[in-house]
Amino acid sequence: MINKFKFFFILLKLIVLVNSQNGMDDYGFGMVEKNAICTSYIGNQLCENRLSNSEKIYTSDVSKLSQTLILPTIQKGFESLTFAQGICNDLKFIEFGMCDSALSPCIVTTPDITPGYNISLAQRVCKSVCERMVNGCPQLAIQIDCSISFLFPRIGTFYNLTDYGYTDNGGLYMVPCVNTEINYEKVEEKVQFLESCPYPLLLKNSSDPQYAEKRGYTYLTPTNCVLPCPIPNYTQQQFDSVIHMSKVMSSLSFVLSLFNGITFGVLIKKKSKYNVCIALMAIGSSLIYLSDIINYGVGIEKQLCPEPGRVATQRVDSLCGFTGSIFHIGITLCVLWSMTMGIVLYSKIKQFKLPNFRYFLIGNLSFTVVTLIILASAKKFQGGNGFLECWMRDRWYVVAIFWIPCGIALLLGVLSICGVIYEIYKISKNVSLKDSKVVVRELKPFILVVTTSASLIYLFIFYFDSESKYDFYKKGVEEYVLCLLTSSNPLGECYTVGPNFNSYFMFYFLIRFFGILFFGIFGTSEIARKAWTESFIATQIKSKMSITTASSSTRAGADTSGIKSSSSSNSNNSTRKNYDDDFNSKNLSQPDNTLTINNNINNNNNNNNDNNDNNIIDDNKKMEIELDSIDI
């Protein structure tokens, strides 16, 4: 995955530790530091067994601070080499050379050389070592110049010890260079190439079944480094905003979807095809939001990222498989029953006969169950980096099992509802209803088709647009790794490349908005309100209120028992007369459209030859059917 080689510029810091000087080709000239000492290696496994002399390391101060400061640079160098696999050769030897270059072996002069002084001098790496490193990885030549004899002498380094009593050779004392190859040949079989991953990447053993990729680890090949979970496409603040929005919207949509399901599936006694579609669609949306509620109850990051660097998978995490199954059932039911509802409405308007409704039931449920079995048996449910739920992540499964068949279903549903709107428009032009009432009756299905179709089209575009940019996002991981290798604040500065945050936020908002949308269209309708007012609970409340009112009336009647019977008789006669008047003049509460149709029918009886009136009667009858079907 990582195929760039920009990383090695940091090796310059690793190699150039002090000011360089040019000298003879075979010798370098070094500077003498009076306070320098030879100390043992104080680091970790980075350079353990890779140093030519781990007991005597050249250290420029007594506190060993120079070793402490250089170790992070060596760490960065090893991290760079880790991502050079597949590009460079002889990487293990390069690690040895890097350790000897950064932590130079040290010698201490004896009194016969510097009387009264013990001077610590650094042994530089031989030029042959540098040349082997560059030959194994030619990209190193951009940053490492093996011709600098101060750093890479062919034979040794001269130090001017005149001030310390050394008089031979004009006071120039020669320290032989270190041939790293000697130590390398001794321990080569015992020491392996050491991979190192920049934080927050984690190092795992991909050959170990416990850390296999199918268990949820995302490896940056050819390394054993894995991406963190969740993947840092966005800042922590942005990611938290999506989580908070999802918690609120999912909880609210879950309650409202349950309301719709209970209303149209239980309380409404007339189980029309349309009501069944609404109930099953509400059940589907409830399952979508139930999976969210379970995730947030467990803890979204704990659920989707159960271990550092590992996303949840059905193979390992049973809860991920469970919530993924719920989500799949829910979203599939929503799509299929919204399609069915549109087809049922359109058939009602056009008055053509559909196949038996049980075929829709069997077909929709069968498709949902079969696709669920396929996904569950193939163990395709997993969390996925950047996603907020467990679902199928294999692109071919997603396209073949969901987007293609459900896309066709959505298209049929949207076209059907558009047909309904068009028929309403045609019929309403010839119906003698007030324009405002017609608009109101058209408004709900119009909002439904526009918002639903627009939302689903957006989801389609977002998904396939993200898939088309897969290579671009993949390339962004390379820039992310480079940032990790060079940044002093990787968590605050380094991010992977993902979809635009606003588009990402809207994607999850729309999915969690459907429950609220469907409640606004169906749950607030007159038939829904009537179902609840006539429900068992409402009946019990009314019954208790009636008993209380009757008791109060009885007590009041006892107080007025002295009224004359003649007045009571006159009152009864007057009441009977009023009841007769009310019955004769009572409005039977027929809908306006029914009354209009009756009036048109009467006009038609008086004018049998008026063809226009016959057309209006037909249109009004058709409009009545339509409004009964839509105005819920």
Side-chain angles (χ1 to χ4, degrees):
M1 180 175 290
I2 306 300
N3 54 21
K4 290 189 176 181
F5 207 81
K6 301 177 181 178
F7 310 130
F8 284 96
F9 75 90
I10 63 173
L11 295 178
L12 185 60
K13 296 180 180 179
L14 179 69
I15 302 301
V16 182
L17 303 177
V18 294
N19 293 329
S20 62
Q21 304 177 31
N22 291 325
M24 295 180 294
D25 291 341
D26 294 338
Y27 297 91
F29 290 86
M31 298 176 61
V32 179
E33 295 187 37
K34 185 176 180 179
N35 295 326
I37 59 173
C38 296
T39 61
S40 59
Y41 177 59
I42 63 172
N44 49 22
Q45 65 174 350
L46 277 176
C47 289
E48 186 178 2
N49 298 324
R50 291 174 176 80
L51 292 167
S52 295
N53 189 352
S54 61
E55 296 301 322
K56 290 185 177 181
I57 302 297
Y58 182 78
T59 307
S60 60
D61 55 33
V62 179
S63 64
K64 301 182 181 180
L65 183 61
S66 60
Q67 274 201 56
T68 305
L69 293 176
I70 200 62
L71 286 175
T73 307
I74 298 175
Q75 176 77 41
K76 288 292 186 181
F78 276 36
E79 291 169 358
S80 297
L81 290 179
T82 298
F83 287 93
Q85 297 180 81
I87 302 174
C88 295
N89 300 316
D90 212 7
L91 291 176
K92 185 164 64 172
F93 177 79
I94 295 175
E95 287 185 337
F96 277 71
M98 288 174 61
C99 287
D100 274 347
S101 298
L103 300 171
S104 300
C106 180
I107 66 169
V108 180
T109 61
T110 58
D112 61 319
I113 299 175
T114 53
Y117 295 96
N118 292 321
I119 304 300
S120 298
L121 303 173
Q123 284 186 280
R124 300 304 180 188
V125 173
C126 293
K127 185 177 182 179
S128 60
V129 174
C130 177
E131 290 173 342
R132 177 172 173 177
M133 294 169 63
V134 172
N135 289 334
C137 191
Q139 290 82 354
L140 282 174
I142 300 174
Q143 303 298 339
I144 300 178
D145 186 358
C146 296
S147 65
I148 300 177
S149 57
F150 165 73
L151 294 175
F152 308 107
R154 186 176 297 278
I155 297 176
T157 303
F158 283 112
Y159 291 93
N160 188 350
L161 300 181
T162 303
D163 294 341
Y164 303 98
Y166 183 70
T167 58
D168 293 349
N169 196 28
L172 295 178
Y173 181 76
M174 196 272 290
V175 176
C177 65
V178 175
N179 187 356
T180 305
E181 293 176 303
I182 296 175
N183 178 53
Y184 179 74
E185 291 174 358
K186 291 180 181 178
V187 299
E188 178 183 5
E189 300 298 329
K190 300 177 182 179
V191 180
Q192 301 297 322
F193 173 69
L194 181 63
E195 289 190 82
S196 184
C197 304
Y199 183 80
L201 303 183
L202 298 173
L203 181 64
K204 301 294 181 181
N205 185 1
S206 58
S207 61
D208 187 341
Q210 182 179 354
Y211 302 108
E213 188 172 1
K214 63 183 180 181
R215 292 175 63 89
Y217 293 98
T218 304
Y219 285 92
L220 300 178
T221 55
T223 75
N224 281 306
C225 298
V226 298
L227 284 173
C229 182
I231 189 171
N233 284 339
Y234 313 105
T235 65
Q236 188 63 43
Q237 182 179 3
Q238 289 176 324
F239 187 73
D240 289 342
S241 67
V242 177
I243 296 296
H244 295 327
M245 176 277 296
S246 183
K247 286 181 179 179
V248 174
M249 297 290 288
S250 294
S251 301
L252 183 58
S253 289
F254 176 72
V255 174
L256 297 180
S257 295
L258 280 182
F259 178 90
N260 276 351
I262 294 172
T263 301
F264 291 92
V266 178
L267 297 183
I268 295 180
K269 297 178 181 179
K270 181 183 178 181
K271 295 298 187 293
S272 66
K273 298 175 184 178
Y274 192 65
N275 292 342
V276 171
C277 291
I278 297 173
L280 291 173
M281 191 165 61
I283 292 173
S285 60
S286 298
L287 293 176
I288 294 176
Y289 307 126
L290 177 61
S291 66
D292 272 353
I293 291 173
I294 294 174
N295 289 338
Y296 296 128
V298 174
I300 185 66
E301 292 197 10
K302 181 180 178 181
Q303 163 68 354
L304 299 180
C305 304
E307 298 175 14
R310 185 175 74 83
V311 298
T313 64
Q314 180 187 353
R315 295 176 182 274
V316 184
D317 311 284
S318 56
L319 185 59
C320 179
F322 177 70
T323 56
S325 300
I326 292 177
F327 182 86
H328 178 74
I329 294 173
I331 196 168
T332 305
L333 287 179
C334 279
V335 172
L336 295 180
W337 286 109
S338 63
M339 171 200 70
T340 306
M341 181 172 61
I343 294 175
V344 169
L345 277 175
Y346 189 67
S347 68
K348 193 74 173 178
I349 296 292
K350 298 295 289 184
Q351 297 184 11
F352 64 83
K353 186 176 181 181
L354 286 174
N356 194 304
F357 192 69
R358 71 181 65 182
Y359 295 135
F360 286 97
L361 285 169
I362 295 173
N364 290 349
L365 295 177
S366 297
F367 178 82
T368 303
V369 172
V370 169
T371 55
L372 176 63
I373 292 174
I374 293 174
L375 293 173
S377 60
K379 299 186 182 302
K380 290 298 179 180
F381 292 121
Q382 70 176 53
N385 279 314
F387 294 92
L388 299 185
E389 68 282 318
C390 283
W391 197 35
M392 51 181 166
R393 299 302 170 207
D394 188 299
R395 64 167 61 181
W396 297 114
Y397 275 84
V398 174
V399 173
I401 290 181
F402 182 77
W403 286 114
I404 291 179
C406 291
I408 295 173
L410 287 172
L411 179 62
L412 291 175
V414 169
L415 291 177
S416 298
I417 297 179
C418 287
V420 170
I421 301 298
Y422 179 68
E423 291 299 322
I424 291 175
Y425 172 75
K426 289 197 305 181
I427 296 171
S428 63
K429 292 190 298 183
N430 297 323
V431 176
S432 57
L433 294 175
K434 292 182 179 179
D435 291 341
S436 59
K437 181 167 291 189
V438 174
V439 171
V440 170
R441 290 181 183 275
E442 292 182 17
L443 185 60
K444 288 184 178 181
F446 179 76
I447 293 176
L448 174 64
V449 67
V450 170
T451 54
T452 303
S453 60
S455 299
L456 293 173
I457 290 173
Y458 178 84
L459 298 183
F460 268 84
I461 294 175
F462 178 85
Y463 176 81
F464 286 104
D465 179 68
S466 299
E467 284 296 310
S468 67
K469 296 179 179 178
Y470 176 77
D471 291 335
F472 174 72
Y473 299 150
K474 184 178 179 180
K475 184 178 179 181
V477 175
E478 300 175 9
E479 301 297 332
Y480 171 67
V481 172
L482 179 60
C483 179
L484 295 179
L485 290 170
T486 58
S487 174
S488 58
N489 180 25
L491 293 182
E493 298 177 354
C494 303
Y495 300 97
T496 51
V497 178
N500 177 270
F501 175 73
N502 293 330
S503 301
Y504 176 82
F505 185 94
M506 185 60 65
F507 177 81
Y508 281 103
F509 175 82
L510 289 177
I511 293 177
R512 284 145 184 81
F513 178 67
F514 284 149
I516 300 174
L517 172 64
F518 294 154
F519 172 80
I521 295 173
F522 305 125
T524 60
S525 62
E526 181 179 352
I527 191 172
R529 296 194 301 269
K530 184 177 180 181
W532 280 96
T533 56
E534 294 179 355
S535 65
F536 174 78
I537 297 175
T539 302
Q540 292 298 315
I541 295 175
K542 291 178 181 179
S543 177
K544 291 181 180 180
M545 293 178 63
S546 299
I547 293 173
T548 303
T549 304
S551 299
S552 301
S553 299
T554 301
R555 289 194 298 269
D559 294 336
T560 59
S561 59
I563 299 177
K564 294 181 180 181
S565 59
S566 60
S567 297
S568 175
S569 176
N570 293 333
S571 176
N572 289 338
N573 292 333
S574 176
T575 300
R576 283 194 298 271
K577 182 178 180 180
N578 289 336
Y579 283 158
D580 293 340
D581 293 340
D582 289 343
F583 180 80
N584 292 331
S585 62
K586 186 176 180 64
N587 189 327
L588 297 180
S589 300
Q590 292 178 329
D592 290 343
N593 55 323
T594 304
L595 292 176
T596 304
I597 291 171
N598 290 336
N599 290 334
N600 284 322
I601 291 174
N602 292 332
N603 292 333
N604 184 49
N605 291 332
N606 294 327
N607 302 283
N608 291 327
N609 296 325
D610 194 338
N611 293 329
N612 292 330
D613 285 346
N614 288 333
N615 292 333
I616 294 176
I617 292 172
D618 293 338
D619 284 340
N620 277 291
K621 288 180 179 179
K622 197 171 185 181
M623 188 66 177
E624 181 180 9
I625 294 173
E626 173 199 7
L627 296 178
D628 289 340
S629 300
I630 296 176
D631 187 21
I632 58 171

